[in-house]
Amino acid sequence: MNRAERLARRAELEHAIEQQRIDLLVAAHRWRTAERALDQGWQLLVRFKTPLLMAGGLLAYRGLRHPGGAARLARRLTAGALFAKKARDLLR
């Protein structure tokens, strides 16, 4: 390989590296854009962590004191979720 071929090969490799850097920057931007909604949702959960924990504790306490009511609520929630899914599928 002579000097001209080495210089040409080096130029090709530098171009390939530059293209990879551009691709990496574009992918990082897309990633940040896609994760923005998840980050906002997580921040919302963190903001209301204490009230959610308190409400969960009260629900757990009530569920332990009256297990029949918790089972009935679980059945109703399951039926409601299935109904909502069927309604959404029918509306499409």
Side-chain angles (χ1 to χ4, degrees), residues 3-64:
R3 182 172 171 81
E5 291 173 346
R6 280 198 310 269
L7 288 174
R9 177 72 176 146
R10 181 177 177 171
E12 289 174 13
L13 290 173
E14 286 176 350
H15 177 71
I17 290 170
E18 186 64 30
Q19 187 60 44
Q20 289 174 355
R21 287 179 180 165
I22 291 170
D23 292 343
L24 188 60
L25 287 172
V26 169
H29 176 70
R30 286 182 184 160
W31 179 267
R32 283 191 301 271
T33 303
E35 75 178 358
R36 189 172 297 136
L38 290 174
D39 283 342
Q40 289 172 350
W42 179 255
Q43 291 302 321
L44 183 70
L45 283 177
V46 168
R47 190 177 319 137
F48 295 114
K49 182 171 78 169
T50 303
L52 288 173
L53 287 174
M54 290 175 61
L58 288 173
L59 287 175
Y61 177 75
R62 187 174 187 281
L64 290 174

